[in-house]
Structure formats: structure tokens, C-alpha cells
Amino acid sequence: MSKQERATRTRNALILSAAELFERHGYVKASLDEISSGAGVSRGALHFHFENKAAVADAVESAAARSLRHAVGSVPPGHVSALQSLTDLSHHLARLLFSDVVVRAGFRLNCDAGPRTHFDLRQEWHTCVHGLVARAAQEKSLAAGVSQEGLVATVVATTVGLEVLSRANRGWPATYSLTSFWQLLLPSVADPRTVAGLNPGGTGSPPNGSEHLPGPFSHAHDTRSRRQIHPGTAGWPT
């Protein structure tokens, strides 16, 4: 393994360790000693990559932002209707929050006390939702009289709210909750000619929305472990 590869793995391990601590305890209570210990490196190795805790938090938020942008970019324009794309992306976000502690930590850092960075995941999500709702209006797939801004606010408040609720109560199965939300919302906001072709559970799921995450959000269910980090993985700096 080259020196550059070792450095990349160390940096990624530090980001993951920091994300686990930020997500569990918040920015203020997480210490650099705990972050370096969790990554299996010395405090000196941490400072080789990051000047201080604020720089570590910036790296976590940067990685989370990349994962969110990758999710948004994974649905090509015109592949499905804008309303279906919006539904699909909300489920994709829920899966990210379920499986990726870095994304969860990024969202928590956005509302934690501490140094602010130029990353605002909630604003990025708001921008994405706004764009898809505007596209839905262009496609004439919104019901008459539906307020675009009202629909954007409803979707953002619900999806971000589920993220906050799941942090306080791991018993919230987000995909099931989102499916129920879309089952209630779509018939009210979609044009009658459009709503019949929409799947509230997301593209590829059973139309009745019976598919859901295998249990509540839990650290034990994180799919990315330290041994699974590879340079170049979406959402991780290379």
C-alpha cells in the first residue's frame, strides 16, 4: 500500500470515527482524543489531517453533502415524472439516514451548536425539492390550485422532521412513515391523470407500500464499517 493510500484510509477512518461521535453525542461533547482513538490512530496523526475539531466537523459535513448530491444526481432528469422522482429521492434520503452514520452526523451538525461551515444539508435538500416541484408544475402534473411553495414546505418539513424524530427515538421506521405520508399527500397534490401512475413507496417497491426498512434506525445496523471504506467511494473524499 502506498503512502498516499494509507493517508486516505486514515483520513476516512477519522471522518467515520468523528461522525459516530458527533451523531451520538453532538459536536460540543465529542473530543479529539475520542475521535483519534476510535479511528485507531494517534492524536498526532489526527492533527496531520485536521487542524482542529472544527476542521473535522467540516470534513464530516463535506462527506455527507457529497453523499446527498450523489443521491440527487442518481435520478436522471426525465427518467420518471417529477413527483415520482421526488418520492423516490425522499426514500433514498431515508435509506441514507438509516445506513450512513456520516450523513446522519452531517444533518445533526447542521443544527448543533459550534462553528458553522458553508455546508447546509437542509438547504441543499430544500433546493432539490423546490426544483422537482417546479418541474412537476411544468409537466402539469400538479392538481389545480396547489401551491408550489406550500408543497415544498410540506415535503421538506416532513422529511427533515423524520430525521430529527429518528434521532430522538430509534423506533421511527422512516421508509414506512414516508410511504404513509406520500399515500396521503399524492392524491391531494397530483393531477388526477398523474396520481394513478405514482408509487408512494418509491419506484421498484410494491405498489401498496408494504416494503420498509428492516427495523428502526440503529448504530448496530450501519452498513458501512471501517473495513468497508475504500478510496473513491461516493460521499468520501479521495
PDB file of all heavy atoms in Angstrom, residues 159-175:
ATOM      1  N   THR A 159     -39.780  15.389   5.756  1.00  0.00           N
ATOM      2  CA  THR A 159     -38.574  14.573   5.633  1.00  0.00           C
ATOM      3  C   THR A 159     -37.523  14.958   6.667  1.00  0.00           C
ATOM      4  O   THR A 159     -36.905  14.086   7.285  1.00  0.00           O
ATOM      5  CB  THR A 159     -37.987  14.686   4.209  1.00  0.00           C
ATOM      6  OG1 THR A 159     -37.894  16.068   3.825  1.00  0.00           O
ATOM      7  CG2 THR A 159     -38.872  13.966   3.193  1.00  0.00           C
ATOM      8  N   VAL A 160     -37.318  16.249   6.856  1.00  0.00           N
ATOM      9  CA  VAL A 160     -36.356  16.691   7.870  1.00  0.00           C
ATOM     10  C   VAL A 160     -36.876  16.364   9.266  1.00  0.00           C
ATOM     11  O   VAL A 160     -36.111  15.982  10.162  1.00  0.00           O
ATOM     12  CB  VAL A 160     -36.064  18.197   7.730  1.00  0.00           C
ATOM     13  CG1 VAL A 160     -35.241  18.705   8.906  1.00  0.00           C
ATOM     14  CG2 VAL A 160     -35.324  18.475   6.423  1.00  0.00           C
ATOM     15  N   GLY A 161     -38.182  16.479   9.448  1.00  0.00           N
ATOM     16  CA  GLY A 161     -38.764  16.144  10.744  1.00  0.00           C
ATOM     17  C   GLY A 161     -38.569  14.692  11.108  1.00  0.00           C
ATOM     18  O   GLY A 161     -38.295  14.362  12.273  1.00  0.00           O
ATOM     19  N   LEU A 162     -38.681  13.796  10.137  1.00  0.00           N
ATOM     20  CA  LEU A 162     -38.450  12.382  10.401  1.00  0.00           C
ATOM     21  C   LEU A 162     -37.000  12.130  10.809  1.00  0.00           C
ATOM     22  O   LEU A 162     -36.720  11.293  11.663  1.00  0.00           O
ATOM     23  CB  LEU A 162     -38.803  11.544   9.167  1.00  0.00           C
ATOM     24  CG  LEU A 162     -40.293  11.373   8.889  1.00  0.00           C
ATOM     25  CD1 LEU A 162     -40.508  10.695   7.545  1.00  0.00           C
ATOM     26  CD2 LEU A 162     -40.974  10.572   9.995  1.00  0.00           C
ATOM     27  N   GLU A 163     -36.079  12.886  10.197  1.00  0.00           N
ATOM     28  CA  GLU A 163     -34.664  12.752  10.571  1.00  0.00           C
ATOM     29  C   GLU A 163     -34.462  13.147  12.026  1.00  0.00           C
ATOM     30  O   GLU A 163     -33.768  12.473  12.790  1.00  0.00           O
ATOM     31  CB  GLU A 163     -33.811  13.621   9.643  1.00  0.00           C
ATOM     32  CG  GLU A 163     -32.330  13.604   9.962  1.00  0.00           C
ATOM     33  CD  GLU A 163     -31.899  14.824  10.765  1.00  0.00           C
ATOM     34  OE1 GLU A 163     -32.421  15.920  10.510  1.00  0.00           O
ATOM     35  OE2 GLU A 163     -31.043  14.661  11.656  1.00  0.00           O
ATOM     36  N   VAL A 164     -35.104  14.244  12.444  1.00  0.00           N
ATOM     37  CA  VAL A 164     -34.977  14.705  13.822  1.00  0.00           C
ATOM     38  C   VAL A 164     -35.640  13.721  14.779  1.00  0.00           C
ATOM     39  O   VAL A 164     -35.076  13.367  15.827  1.00  0.00           O
ATOM     40  CB  VAL A 164     -35.597  16.108  13.981  1.00  0.00           C
ATOM     41  CG1 VAL A 164     -35.599  16.530  15.439  1.00  0.00           C
ATOM     42  CG2 VAL A 164     -34.821  17.130  13.143  1.00  0.00           C
ATOM     43  N   LEU A 165     -36.832  13.239  14.448  1.00  0.00           N
ATOM     44  CA  LEU A 165     -37.544  12.299  15.308  1.00  0.00           C
ATOM     45  C   LEU A 165     -36.782  10.994  15.466  1.00  0.00           C
ATOM     46  O   LEU A 165     -36.734  10.408  16.545  1.00  0.00           O
ATOM     47  CB  LEU A 165     -38.937  12.027  14.737  1.00  0.00           C
ATOM     48  CG  LEU A 165     -39.963  13.159  14.899  1.00  0.00           C
ATOM     49  CD1 LEU A 165     -41.193  12.871  14.051  1.00  0.00           C
ATOM     50  CD2 LEU A 165     -40.351  13.343  16.357  1.00  0.00           C
ATOM     51  N   SER A 166     -36.165  10.527  14.390  1.00  0.00           N
ATOM     52  CA  SER A 166     -35.434   9.258  14.456  1.00  0.00           C
ATOM     53  C   SER A 166     -34.197   9.375  15.329  1.00  0.00           C
ATOM     54  O   SER A 166     -33.733   8.387  15.896  1.00  0.00           O
ATOM     55  CB  SER A 166     -35.027   8.813  13.048  1.00  0.00           C
ATOM     56  OG  SER A 166     -34.049   9.672  12.498  1.00  0.00           O
ATOM     57  N   ARG A 167     -33.667  10.603  15.451  1.00  0.00           N
ATOM     58  CA  ARG A 167     -32.511  10.801  16.310  1.00  0.00           C
ATOM     59  C   ARG A 167     -32.897  10.653  17.782  1.00  0.00           C
ATOM     60  O   ARG A 167     -32.142  10.124  18.589  1.00  0.00           O
ATOM     61  CB  ARG A 167     -31.924  12.191  16.071  1.00  0.00           C
ATOM     62  CG  ARG A 167     -30.557  12.422  16.693  1.00  0.00           C
ATOM     63  CD  ARG A 167     -30.145  13.870  16.595  1.00  0.00           C
ATOM     64  NE  ARG A 167     -30.318  14.379  15.247  1.00  0.00           N
ATOM     65  CZ  ARG A 167     -30.628  15.639  14.968  1.00  0.00           C
ATOM     66  NH1 ARG A 167     -30.822  16.502  15.940  1.00  0.00           N
ATOM     67  NH2 ARG A 167     -30.757  16.035  13.713  1.00  0.00           N
ATOM     68  N   ALA A 168     -34.092  11.097  18.120  1.00  0.00           N
ATOM     69  CA  ALA A 168     -34.557  11.024  19.495  1.00  0.00           C
ATOM     70  C   ALA A 168     -35.194   9.684  19.826  1.00  0.00           C
ATOM     71  O   ALA A 168     -35.192   9.240  20.967  1.00  0.00           O
ATOM     72  CB  ALA A 168     -35.556  12.146  19.766  1.00  0.00           C
ATOM     73  N   ASN A 169     -35.743   9.017  18.801  1.00  0.00           N
ATOM     74  CA  ASN A 169     -36.452   7.760  19.005  1.00  0.00           C
ATOM     75  C   ASN A 169     -36.141   6.816  17.859  1.00  0.00           C
ATOM     76  O   ASN A 169     -36.652   6.988  16.749  1.00  0.00           O
ATOM     77  CB  ASN A 169     -37.963   8.017  19.099  1.00  0.00           C
ATOM     78  CG  ASN A 169     -38.762   6.748  19.340  1.00  0.00           C
ATOM     79  OD1 ASN A 169     -38.212   5.648  19.370  1.00  0.00           O
ATOM     80  ND2 ASN A 169     -40.059   6.894  19.500  1.00  0.00           N
ATOM     81  N   ARG A 170     -35.296   5.826  18.115  1.00  0.00           N
ATOM     82  CA  ARG A 170     -34.893   4.902  17.062  1.00  0.00           C
ATOM     83  C   ARG A 170     -36.040   4.024  16.588  1.00  0.00           C
ATOM     84  O   ARG A 170     -35.897   3.247  15.667  1.00  0.00           O
ATOM     85  CB  ARG A 170     -33.746   4.010  17.564  1.00  0.00           C
ATOM     86  CG  ARG A 170     -32.461   4.767  17.871  1.00  0.00           C
ATOM     87  CD  ARG A 170     -31.936   5.491  16.666  1.00  0.00           C
ATOM     88  NE  ARG A 170     -30.642   6.101  16.924  1.00  0.00           N
ATOM     89  CZ  ARG A 170     -30.023   6.911  16.082  1.00  0.00           C
ATOM     90  NH1 ARG A 170     -30.588   7.216  14.946  1.00  0.00           N
ATOM     91  NH2 ARG A 170     -28.855   7.426  16.385  1.00  0.00           N
ATOM     92  N   GLY A 171     -37.193   4.128  17.206  1.00  0.00           N
ATOM     93  CA  GLY A 171     -38.336   3.324  16.813  1.00  0.00           C
ATOM     94  C   GLY A 171     -39.072   3.865  15.598  1.00  0.00           C
ATOM     95  O   GLY A 171     -40.037   3.250  15.142  1.00  0.00           O
ATOM     96  N   TRP A 172     -38.635   5.021  15.054  1.00  0.00           N
ATOM     97  CA  TRP A 172     -39.306   5.557  13.879  1.00  0.00           C
ATOM     98  C   TRP A 172     -38.794   4.866  12.621  1.00  0.00           C
ATOM     99  O   TRP A 172     -37.666   5.099  12.202  1.00  0.00           O
ATOM    100  CB  TRP A 172     -39.033   7.056  13.757  1.00  0.00           C
ATOM    101  CG  TRP A 172     -39.905   7.876  14.642  1.00  0.00           C
ATOM    102  CD1 TRP A 172     -39.655   8.212  15.934  1.00  0.00           C
ATOM    103  CD2 TRP A 172     -41.167   8.464  14.311  1.00  0.00           C
ATOM    104  NE1 TRP A 172     -40.679   8.969  16.441  1.00  0.00           N
ATOM    105  CE2 TRP A 172     -41.627   9.149  15.469  1.00  0.00           C
ATOM    106  CE3 TRP A 172     -41.941   8.477  13.160  1.00  0.00           C
ATOM    107  CZ2 TRP A 172     -42.828   9.840  15.496  1.00  0.00           C
ATOM    108  CZ3 TRP A 172     -43.146   9.169  13.185  1.00  0.00           C
ATOM    109  CH2 TRP A 172     -43.580   9.837  14.344  1.00  0.00           C
ATOM    110  N   PRO A 173     -39.583   3.984  11.983  1.00  0.00           N
ATOM    111  CA  PRO A 173     -39.161   3.361  10.713  1.00  0.00           C
ATOM    112  C   PRO A 173     -39.445   4.327   9.568  1.00  0.00           C
ATOM    113  O   PRO A 173     -40.553   4.413   9.057  1.00  0.00           O
ATOM    114  CB  PRO A 173     -40.034   2.110  10.623  1.00  0.00           C
ATOM    115  CG  PRO A 173     -41.257   2.448  11.407  1.00  0.00           C
ATOM    116  CD  PRO A 173     -40.877   3.507  12.431  1.00  0.00           C
ATOM    117  N   ALA A 174     -38.446   5.073   9.147  1.00  0.00           N
ATOM    118  CA  ALA A 174     -38.665   6.221   8.274  1.00  0.00           C
ATOM    119  C   ALA A 174     -39.301   5.882   6.936  1.00  0.00           C
ATOM    120  O   ALA A 174     -40.134   6.631   6.444  1.00  0.00           O
ATOM    121  CB  ALA A 174     -37.342   6.948   8.043  1.00  0.00           C
ATOM    122  N   THR A 175     -38.914   4.779   6.306  1.00  0.00           N
ATOM    123  CA  THR A 175     -39.477   4.486   4.990  1.00  0.00           C
ATOM    124  C   THR A 175     -40.969   4.210   5.096  1.00  0.00           C
ATOM    125  O   THR A 175     -41.756   4.659   4.279  1.00  0.00           O
ATOM    126  CB  THR A 175     -38.744   3.312   4.334  1.00  0.00           C
ATOM    127  OG1 THR A 175     -37.414   3.714   4.048  1.00  0.00           O
ATOM    128  CG2 THR A 175     -39.423   2.888   3.046  1.00  0.00           C
TER     129      THR A 175
END
